[in-house]
Amino acid sequence: MAASAAAVPAASNPAGAGARLSIGQVLSHLQGEFGDLTPSKLRFLEEQGLVTPERTRSGYRKFSQAHVERLRLILTLQRDHYLPLKVIAEVLDEVDQGRDPVIPGAAPRSASSILMPRRLLGREELQQLTGASSRFLGEAIAAGLLPAAEVFPHDAVAEVTALLRLAEQGITPRHLRAVRVAAEREAELIEHAVSSRGVRGGTPHSTEDALAIAAELETVRSGVLKRRLTGR
């Protein structure tokens, strides 16, 4: 199987500069999406030739952002589309050769979303993009508003920017612990609602249902806040 990639960047020739992650950091970043991911599973995927991390002189594995995106694609095809490794290898070959693969069981739009890279940011890059200090990020992490990690999804830029604007109004991350607790309770409520309908967790349908419920809850929450602030 070819080791380069187009829509999913090359495993042996990763596109773009950036920090290289240890296997522990990769697990920390991906286990939120793929709870059954383990070091042995990562090593197995490497043994099968599906991903080829770099190696230090001491033999330690180092993963680029390209490797992480490739792993996310592999794991998504396994979990959501039940594809065997042989078929996943064929999909990766298509991607590596710059073609748009046909993913069994996936609609064309779904396939595009699966293959779309999700950029990761290091802590320093996140600070540069938002202007946040290292101390401020630490406070947000301590309050549970950001993941305790060295790499962050690109969505974190908008979150940190919002936190900085709130801090200018005197609402610091420490004050927002209650918001995090409320969000976690809402997440539990949504998960229970989805599971009670017999939709298996971790599937595309369960994700779509959960996000739809979350959007409705956001509408209700906004209405409550508006009435509380305006007296109407």
Side-chain angles (χ1 to χ4, degrees):
M1 186 183 70
S4 62
V8 176
S12 62
N13 183 27
R20 297 300 187 256
L21 308 179
S22 68
I23 191 169
Q25 290 173 316
V26 171
L27 287 169
S28 174
H29 186 76
L30 291 178
Q31 280 179 329
E33 294 179 70
F34 308 98
D36 61 346
L37 185 60
T38 62
S40 60
K41 185 169 185 177
L42 282 182
R43 288 191 288 268
F44 175 74
L45 294 175
E46 180 183 357
E47 291 169 1
Q48 298 302 305
L50 298 179
V51 64
T52 308
E54 301 169 19
R55 293 274 186 161
T56 66
R57 290 183 179 179
S58 302
Y60 292 104
R61 295 172 177 82
K62 287 296 180 180
F63 297 80
S64 68
Q65 179 173 309
H67 297 129
V68 175
E69 294 306 326
R70 194 174 183 90
L71 284 167
R72 179 180 279 110
L73 172 59
I74 293 167
L75 296 169
T76 299
L77 292 176
Q78 276 189 313
R79 182 194 64 190
D80 296 350
H81 301 276
Y82 313 104
L83 299 185
L85 292 183
K86 180 180 179 181
V87 177
I88 291 175
E90 294 171 357
V91 172
L92 291 174
D93 275 335
E94 291 290 301
V95 173
D96 292 343
Q97 295 174 42
R99 295 196 288 263
D100 293 327
V102 176
I103 298 176
R109 182 176 296 180
S110 175
S112 298
S113 64
I114 292 171
L115 295 170
M116 186 178 297
R118 303 179 192 176
R119 189 180 174 209
L120 305 179
L121 302 173
R123 185 175 294 215
E124 290 185 3
E125 189 174 8
L126 180 58
Q127 289 180 230
Q128 291 171 357
L129 289 172
T130 61
S133 66
S134 178
R135 179 178 178 179
F136 187 86
L137 283 185
E139 291 175 353
I141 291 170
L145 303 173
L146 291 174
E150 292 301 318
V151 290
F152 302 85
H154 202 272
D155 293 347
V157 172
E159 294 178 50
V160 173
T161 299
L163 289 171
L164 287 168
R165 289 173 179 166
L166 288 169
E168 292 175 355
Q169 304 300 320
I171 304 174
T172 69
R174 178 174 55 84
H175 296 124
L176 295 173
R177 291 179 186 271
V179 173
R180 186 257 301 169
V181 172
E184 290 175 349
R185 289 176 177 170
E186 285 186 5
E188 292 176 358
L189 179 65
I190 292 171
E191 290 169 355
H192 176 73
V194 172
S195 63
S196 66
R197 295 173 55 189
V199 180
R200 188 173 64 84
T203 67
H205 288 304
S206 70
T207 300
E208 290 173 6
D209 287 352
L211 292 176
I213 295 173
E216 299 295 350
L217 284 174
E218 179 62 31
T219 299
V220 173
R221 185 192 306 109
S222 296
V224 173
L225 280 173
K226 182 178 179 180
R227 285 191 295 274
R228 178 67 175 83
L229 294 172
T230 64
R232 299 176 183 175

